[in-house]
Amino acid sequence: MRARLDLYSRNTLKLGLFGANCSSGRAVTKVAERWSGSWPDSLRLARMADAAGIEFMLPVGRWKGYGGETDYQGATLESVTWAAGLLAATRRLTVFATVHAPLIHPIIAAKQFVTADHIGAGRFGLNIVCGWNEDEFDMFGVTMREHATRYEYAQEWLDAIKLAWEGGDDVDFDGRFIQLRQLRAKPKPFGGGRPIIMNAAASPTGQSFAIRNCDALFSMTPKGRLDEFAAHVVDVQALARAQGRAIDVYTVGVITCRPTRRDAESYYRHCVIDNADWAAVDHILAMRGVTPETYPDDYAERRAHQANGMGGVPIVGDPDDVADELARLSAAGARGIAVSFVNYLEELPFFCAEVLPRLERRGVRRAI
Ligand SMILES: Cc1cc2nc3c(=O)[nH]c(=O)nc-3n(C[C@H](O)[C@H](O)[C@H](O)COP(=O)(O)O)c2cc1C
């Protein structure tokens, strides 16, 4: 389990790629080079990341595009099957699946996860999401539960999955939402452990769920407010310790790295201001109740932040700027960061060549 929790590396700051299973990835932009989200591109990216010692890939669980001119995230690869394929093609990478608990039966889910875990020899990870996007649930004909109940359901769902992973033969499960009779589930996860489990809740209810159940909590860093993030890490870890648990806190970033700061800033402006898919951005924000009427003072800022990478912390600059910011996040307590690029395949080689050695010199990563 230690190796799984370490994501198979000894680096202080773990790095992951976020959102590569979706068209446009995390950048709500119209630029022609925006991410395809295709299988061949995912596969090439995973192999490149694996060779460079990047620790993980985290997909988005998305069932329906957000419209706009690009139908942002309109083409998505289902994340468990995507993870299984990538695990078969890599050697070190941890690959997560992002799974909506209310949309898949726990026995099927437990079996899929075990299968992917065997394919990856223990490198499969689970990101549990409870859902927030009513459009998607409507498409399934499933009613989204009230917020607190979503997490009560997720608790039962995860308990049922752990029973399938760890329990003996012919056990019953009697929950409020889920009843299982004479459960049998074999094989068990790879090597006698279990997949690493993460969640990215923002609410107190959701974060309590993560603290009770998960190995990692992914939390957004408020832009320019690293001290708030650092305090959040301390709080979450103290709450976990009080329950006899340990949890790592990861964050989310959006990287625009170019040889000069000027080039980086200009590309950033080009993608997410001059060529943002504003209709998609407005739609995403409206789904969360964010409109010019509800947030008259800072709607423009929220729009730009959303276009940039769905709210991840923007890290824009030359390789020194980017390495400095990543090292600061590490010092603030982030165990790792899930990052995105406008075009992952085109931008990752420069990041690996220029930023990784700087992170080694700053003591947060080691050479592979
Ligand atoms: C890193 C990260 C990844 C997430 N991935 C997804 C996802 O793929 N699909 C989804 O529906 N929600 C996703 N979410 C949303 C969260 O699961 C959660 O619903 C949201 O942060 C609101 O928190 P709450 O449920 O505590 O209110 C993600 C959030 C973050 C920060």
Side-chain angles (χ1 to χ4, degrees), residues 39 42-44 46-48 50-51 82-93 95 119-120 123:
W39 173 250
S42 282
L43 186 58
R44 282 173 58 211
R47 287 181 168 145
M48 190 187 279
D50 202 41
W82 177 87
L86 296 184
L87 286 164
T90 50
R91 289 187 306 115
R92 287 187 291 225
L93 206 56
V95 187
I119 292 172
R123 292 179 292 119

Side-chain angles (χ1 to χ4, degrees), residues 96-97 99 113 124-128 157-158 165 195-199:
F96 286 91
V99 179
F113 304 156
F124 175 75
L126 168 63
N127 175 19
I128 304 178
W157 185 84
L158 185 58
W165 284 349
I196 180 171
I197 302 173
M198 63 158 279
N199 172 259

Side-chain angles (χ1 to χ4, degrees), residues 187-271:
K188 301 302 181 194
F190 182 82
R194 63 154 174 81
I196 180 171
I197 302 173
M198 63 158 279
N199 172 259
S203 63
T205 309
Q207 293 190 355
S208 307
F209 169 84
I211 290 165
R212 270 197 318 277
N213 296 290
C214 298
D215 306 303
L217 171 69
F218 277 60
S219 299
M220 294 293 186
T221 308
K223 191 181 167 196
R225 302 206 301 271
L226 264 188
D227 50 336
E228 273 180 38
F229 177 76
H232 165 72
V233 175
V234 169
D235 285 351
V236 165
Q237 293 186 329
L239 287 167
R241 261 196 312 280
Q243 297 178 29
R245 300 202 73 248
I247 190 164
D248 287 323
V249 182
Y250 286 68
T251 194
V252 180
V254 185
I255 294 185
T256 312
C257 186
R258 293 293 182 274
T260 67
R261 189 181 294 173
R262 213 171 133 203
D263 286 352
E265 284 170 352
S266 133
Y267 187 68
Y268 177 84
R269 236 185 348 269
H270 169 70
C271 286

Side-chain angles (χ1 to χ4, degrees), residues 65-120:
Y66 289 105
E69 272 182 54
T70 58
D71 189 19
Y72 175 65
Q73 292 189 340
T76 58
L77 295 176
E78 187 284 317
S79 75
V80 182
T81 38
W82 177 87
L86 296 184
L87 286 164
T90 50
R91 289 187 306 115
R92 287 187 291 225
L93 206 56
T94 293
V95 187
F96 286 91
T98 297
V99 179
H100 283 82
L103 298 181
I104 174 165
H105 191 281
I107 296 181
I108 298 176
K111 178 75 87 184
Q112 287 181 328
F113 304 156
V114 164
T115 307
D117 198 45
H118 280 251
I119 292 172

Side-chain angles (χ1 to χ4, degrees), residues 18 58-62 98 100 127 129 132 147 151 200-203 206 218 220 252:
F18 184 25
L58 175 63
V60 171
R62 177 78 50 232
T98 297
H100 283 82
N127 175 19
V129 297
W132 60 270
H147 189 272
Y151 281 97
S203 63
F218 277 60
M220 294 293 186
V252 180

